[in-house]
Amino acid sequence: MANENCSILINSCDSYEDIWTPFFSCFEEHWKNCPYPIYLNTETKSYEFGDLKIHSLHSFNKHCAWGERLRDCLSRINTEYVLMLFDDFCLENKVNQKEIELCLNALHENEDIDAFYIIHVFPELTENNNKKFVEVPRGKAYRLNSAPGVWRKSRLLEYTGKIDTPWAWEYYGTYRTEKLKQSKIYVLNALADLYPYNYRMGGAIHKGKWVKSVIEPINKKYNLNIDFSKRGFDDEIEHKVSFLYRLKFRYIGFRMLGLKALYIYIDRIIKRMIGKFKKTVSSI
């Protein structure tokens, strides 16, 4: 059975250990009797929570890049499929496990399917469509996405490079998903999310700070007594980034893809300009 061949991988790091208790408090309530083994991707620290069996995967090199650490974790997970999450994806409602099992069965029966994103992350793709899942087309920005997803582990490994950061992995790594003609990625249509969390705010942490509207209700509900002064708050999801950050980001892209990174950058600019033009024309 495909359902017995899946694990949950939660991406984190030692410096984010203060999110683990909020995350697993929500997880324990909203996904009771979760049947899949749970793995925590971090550098050196281990963690336990109630009756949950959490396997902490320590990095062989705590100074390695995020991509290398993710690859190392995936190589040590024995199941063929993984449900990949990030540490601040704090559940707000019950997980729809039956639908997740259907995703796993579809992966098992169709080798050309890479993944199912189990939240409604691309609403523009699913308008006027009554299908449960819709294919994310090639050429779509952020086709490789950090949204909660049920993945074929071998493809996830193939799409992840050693020097990747989470943001470069999405932006530039998307190009890797377009190499295989027979690979498909699907996203949930406008139904109730199978893994319901506040993805509109990005989760409970943004730019290293707490998202107040997300974390305060969790702190109160589970009586966690979080010391918010250590991180501070940041509910501004859209931020201007510095020139130096942009420069470093382009450099990582060049190291990942060579000159193809420049093509991706120009392609995104052109598509953004066309989108703005169409929006302006339609409003006239």
Side-chain angles (χ1 to χ4, degrees):
M1 290 288 292
N3 303 330
E4 299 173 357
N5 199 11
C6 180
S7 299
I8 295 175
L9 176 61
I10 302 158
N11 289 302
S12 189
C13 57
D14 285 2
S15 62
Y16 273 45
E17 66 174 325
D18 51 347
I19 190 61
W20 298 346
T21 297
F23 177 92
F24 286 108
S25 296
C26 297
F27 189 97
E28 184 182 52
E29 178 185 2
H30 296 302
W31 201 349
K32 296 183 184 299
N33 303 315
C34 174
Y36 313 122
I38 302 169
Y39 293 90
L40 182 65
N41 171 9
T42 189
E43 291 102 341
T44 63
K45 297 182 178 181
S46 298
Y47 183 75
E48 296 179 356
F49 187 91
D51 295 328
L52 293 176
K53 294 181 179 179
I54 303 167
H55 308 277
S56 298
L57 294 177
H58 298 143
S59 174
F60 65 93
N61 175 9
K62 66 179 182 179
H63 300 296
C64 68
W66 176 84
E68 185 173 7
R69 190 152 56 85
L70 175 57
R71 289 182 58 85
D72 177 55
C73 286
L74 290 171
S75 68
R76 288 189 277 162
I77 293 174
N78 294 326
T79 57
E80 188 175 354
Y81 312 110
V82 293
L83 168 55
M84 191 167 81
L85 306 170
F86 280 74
D87 51 16
D88 64 335
F89 292 178
C90 297
L91 281 166
E92 297 185 346
N93 212 330
K94 186 178 179 181
V95 170
N96 192 329
Q97 186 177 313
K98 288 184 178 180
E99 291 291 342
I100 290 176
E101 290 173 357
L102 290 176
C103 293
L104 288 167
N105 288 335
L107 285 169
H108 181 68
E109 294 170 2
N110 301 273
E111 293 186 1
D112 59 341
I113 298 178
D114 295 347
F116 289 92
Y117 297 128
I118 56 177
I119 65 170
H120 187 49
V121 71
F122 292 119
E124 68 278 9
L125 295 179
T126 57
E127 293 177 357
N128 303 318
N129 194 314
N130 59 4
K131 294 181 179 179
K132 188 179 295 183
F133 283 90
V134 177
E135 186 176 354
V136 183
R138 285 174 174 75
K140 175 66 179 173
Y142 300 102
R143 188 172 186 248
L144 185 62
N145 202 285
S146 61
V150 182
W151 277 92
R152 187 180 304 279
K153 188 183 72 171
S154 59
R155 290 288 169 80
L156 190 54
L157 270 166
E158 191 171 347
Y159 297 152
T160 304
K162 289 184 177 182
I163 65 170
D164 295 3
T165 66
W167 306 277
W169 177 79
E170 287 187 313
Y171 189 90
Y172 294 109
T174 288
Y175 175 80
R176 298 170 180 150
T177 71
E178 300 175 10
K179 290 183 178 180
L180 297 176
K181 293 183 179 180
Q182 299 302 316
S183 69
K184 296 178 181 179
I185 295 175
Y186 288 89
V187 62
L188 186 70
N189 202 342
L191 306 172
D193 295 325
L194 308 189
Y195 184 95
Y197 81 105
N198 197 331
Y199 64 88
R200 292 172 182 82
M201 298 301 290
I205 296 179
H206 181 252
K207 298 286 187 181
K209 295 185 178 182
W210 295 111
V211 177
K212 190 173 185 179
S213 59
V214 176
I215 195 63
E216 276 197 335
I218 293 172
N219 182 55
K220 183 178 180 180
K221 181 177 183 179
Y222 300 106
N223 194 27
L224 301 180
N225 297 316
I226 299 171
D227 183 0
F228 293 124
S229 66
K230 292 181 179 180
R231 287 189 180 276
F233 292 112
D234 181 8
D235 273 45
E236 284 291 330
I237 299 304
E238 296 296 333
H239 281 276
K240 291 184 177 180
V241 296
S242 67
F243 174 76
L244 181 60
Y245 175 88
R246 292 178 185 272
L247 193 63
K248 289 180 178 179
F249 190 72
R250 305 300 172 215
Y251 176 65
I252 291 174
F254 178 77
R255 290 180 63 199
M256 288 171 63
L257 300 178
L259 291 176
K260 293 185 181 71
L262 180 61
Y263 162 77
I264 291 172
Y265 179 57
I266 295 173
D267 181 63
R268 297 277 170 86
I269 292 176
I270 293 173
K271 287 180 178 177
R272 196 179 303 126
M273 291 173 64
I274 292 173
K276 287 182 179 179
F277 176 75
K278 288 181 177 179
K279 191 174 182 179
T280 301
V281 171
S282 64
S283 64
I284 296 175

